[in-house]
Amino acid sequence: MKVTVTAFGIAKDILNKKQTEVEYSGTTVADLRQQLIQEFPEFAKLASLKFAVNTDYVNDDFVLNSNDEVVLIPPVSGG
Amino acid sequence: MKVTVTAFGIAKDILNKKQTEVEYSGTTVADLRQQLIQEFPEFAKLASLKFAVNTDYVNDDFVLNSNDEVVLIPPVSGG
Amino acid sequence: MTKEDQLRYSRQTIIPEFGEAGQEKLLASSVLVIGAGGLGAPILQYLTAAGIGRIGIVDFDEVSISNLQRQVLFNTHELGKSKAQTSKQKLSALNPATEFDVHELAINATNAMDLIEPYDLVVDGSDNLATRYLVNDACFLLNKPLIYGAIFRFEGQVSVFNALENGKRGPNYRDLFPTPPPPEMVPSCSEGGVIGVLPGIIGAMMASEAIKVLCQMGTTLSGKLFIFDALDFSTHTLNVPASADNPLSGKHPSITELIDYEAFCMGQVEDKAQAEVTVHQLQHMLEEGNVTLIDVREDYEYEIANLGGELIPLNKVLSRSEEIPTDGNVVVMCKMGGRSQKAIDLLKSKGYKNLKNLKGGIMAWRAEIDPELQSY
Amino acid sequence: MTKEDQLRYSRQTIIPEFGEAGQEKLLASSVLVIGAGGLGAPILQYLTAAGIGRIGIVDFDEVSISNLQRQVLFNTHELGKSKAQTSKQKLSALNPATEFDVHELAINATNAMDLIEPYDLVVDGSDNLATRYLVNDACFLLNKPLIYGAIFRFEGQVSVFNALENGKRGPNYRDLFPTPPPPEMVPSCSEGGVIGVLPGIIGAMMASEAIKVLCQMGTTLSGKLFIFDALDFSTHTLNVPASADNPLSGKHPSITELIDYEAFCMGQVEDKAQAEVTVHQLQHMLEEGNVTLIDVREDYEYEIANLGGELIPLNKVLSRSEEIPTDGNVVVMCKMGGRSQKAIDLLKSKGYKNLKNLKGGIMAWRAEIDPELQSY
């Protein structure tokens, strides 16, 4: 299954790009989070972040569908 | 067939709302334009306006599909 | 860059995509900003802060009290002062290294080419359709990228025209709006209103796009129209293809030099002329005593300045139409001619055929007949 | 409204959705703006122009040269002056009818409730995570609507918290970001950078949302997070539900009064403490001569002010790591402690175990030990 990951803020730095297609074998947001941490260990520090899927914030047990857009939004603090 | 019409600027004033569902029997943008003029005669003054469908500007011969979002964007001149 | 510049711009040079290279490009760039009004204020503030090397400011107007709900570059002590001069003074204090050219004039088909030619890029914050077509055509003819933005009530539009990508110039204003609708369908800020903070949002977006074009950084709105509605906080980003029928940049260009933009935007000019009177014609009619004058402005505007007409605000013309004669000479007036045209259109639906619009409204009377009238 | 007010606000009162009723509401409203910085400038300018009756300005800081690429309320002649005082002076000239309360202090858990309580609405333009959680919690406890916005490089976020709709308060910051990531994952403007015009866009959007909440007009971003990326001009609007686990507003609230937000945002506080030295500890080590000090800032920053450390800019620490001892006391420093932490994390991947971070960087040294050092 393929999803598109769109990353903002420091998450974009970790991925080293804003958008990337991720081929993955799990079913839930929690699985995807685990896979991202394995590929990009710095994501471990963002372990508490919520994910949005398409236009909605979701919980870790949310089941992903093929071609979903998963959005990673770390807090930014600048003013 | 039903399309959603989203109107900006003076077109919103003519429709008297920003969004409305239009049930219509034609096929092209030109047909929809004609129908809008019949229902809201003031649209005759905006006869030269291009329409956008979903995310693209289109020509008058563009064939609409059910549930398309048709966007009406008159020029605005304020600065 | 000097040591002071390194400090001044450090918050943006630290960004990998911008860097010192981006800053060097801005310092070497020149931008012409048309209009130091609602859009002009944030455009000028943020381009100056960003370190553009040279900025031209085009505005013939003076600061008035009704500007201050959105034109945050000016203040209450500056009423009546030149907008272009006052802007330069404020902006020079913000960034003394930026050079400013003050163009205290109205841009028109005679001066536009010479005005625009020396600059790398143009940002259009003007307030009328004729100027928008003029600036568009001149920028196309001169091959200059143009940042477009316009506002109405809660809505704003942003785009980028003539931007060079892969050796090709992007679409322009005539791809978006091939021909102008009649003037009463395009209300200005004074006729249609604008929420004060809207030009802050749209003007800053325009400055941001200007910086991206100058630094060749990121993806601009070239070939796209961005629409923002502050009332429901919605956005639309629409793809706008270059049209083969574009009279400027299409397959068979019919416009190869600047034209008469006032006439072009007035549409059916002859129709209009018959339905309009000038302030001099009205003066003559008033002297003859053979005219009924209807003023469709609001009470408080009437208090400020009036020509002795009968006051029926625009939103009352239908309910109070029995006060308006259906024959004889009737002239309808407002501040600048927009609302009175709207009143006439409304009354036409009730069968009125004898109504004429005062061209330019009371402001034209002030400009041509009685300078003692208070401006507002 | 006075006759002057009718003129001043005529461009917005003419809008049907706003009208004179909207203006009356703004004139009777009070707003507390936290931070007179990059976001604060447009927030303050446009709220003042719009005619808010009373505006509180919270800022303890002074104008510095690196502010001027985005903080357009200030200029080069005002370096070193109080931001809050200078803002009041400028804004009073823009709209003499608005009352301003200057709060020249840092908002903290001790003063926040008293500061916020007298105002109808809060706009948070602060620049650090601890203040964002503090302001969020205080606004929730006081039932005040809060306009949120934050910026980083080319990206901005906007939302509306605690807004009353159908008798229910909307989601808040802890629904968006339940717990803070470690500090090095949340770079400030000085550490991560920000394109100067971005706070212009985001701050103006925040002012617009504030006006809508105060006038109960249109549809706000309550329950939504808006994300803008200026680099590719893309927008995302995400739905954010109220979370049942929210420690403030969820089913089983665990936070019923303000907490220690610095500690909360430092995360694993004990870990940190072992890996950090304070400026006083460093002073002692330097006197003893038993420490190697590595400075990971840029050349030009080092020229402005330094503590005699060895200069290895952050982007060189890996390639020049043989210059850094793998045993003994090594302290890594930067301006404020963010980049040095990043350098330490990078070096840890090479096996370093002896590195300590200078807490607060050279700015903490200036604040606590040597005020003669130049600020930047």
Side-chain angles (χ1 to χ4, degrees), chain B residues 9 13 18 55-57 78-79, chain C residues 38-39 153 155 229 232 234 239:
Chain B
D13 281 15
K18 180 168 173 179
T55 60
D56 297 299
Y57 258 58
Chain C
L39 290 172
R153 293 186 182 161
E155 298 170 15
D229 186 345
D232 60 5
S234 68
N239 298 310

Side-chain angles (χ1 to χ4, degrees), chain C residues 178-312:
Chain C
T179 50
E184 71 271 22
M185 293 276 118
V186 194
S188 66
C189 284
S190 65
E191 299 289 338
V194 66
I195 202 80
V197 65
L198 181 68
I201 298 170
I202 301 298
M205 286 176 166
M206 293 167 76
S208 173
E209 289 296 281
I211 288 166
K212 285 161 60 185
V213 170
L214 292 170
C215 297
Q216 293 156 289
M217 183 175 69
T219 310
T220 71
L221 289 173
S222 176
K224 289 179 185 158
L225 176 67
F226 176 78
I227 307 175
F228 178 68
D229 186 345
L231 191 59
D232 60 5
F233 213 105
S234 68
T235 63
H236 278 72
T237 305
L238 303 170
N239 298 310
V240 181
S243 164
D245 300 332
N246 188 312
L248 206 56
S249 51
K251 282 198 177 152
H252 308 287
S254 58
I255 301 175
T256 54
E257 57 183 22
L258 300 181
I259 60 173
D260 179 345
Y261 292 89
E262 292 293 339
F264 175 63
C265 288
M266 288 308 284
Q268 304 134 312
V269 179
E270 277 150 326
D271 258 3
K272 280 276 155 202
Q274 289 179 359
E276 274 185 352
V277 298
T278 66
V279 289
H280 296 289
Q281 287 169 329
L282 176 65
Q283 185 180 34
H284 186 74
M285 288 171 169
L286 287 170
E287 282 163 11
E288 301 283 312
N290 63 354
V291 65
T292 304
L293 181 61
I294 307 289
D295 190 330
V296 299
R297 295 174 302 152
E298 300 301 312
D299 296 16
Y300 72 91
E301 297 177 85
Y302 193 89
E303 275 179 50
I304 295 160
N306 69 69
L307 305 179
E310 188 180 344
L311 178 65
I312 307 179

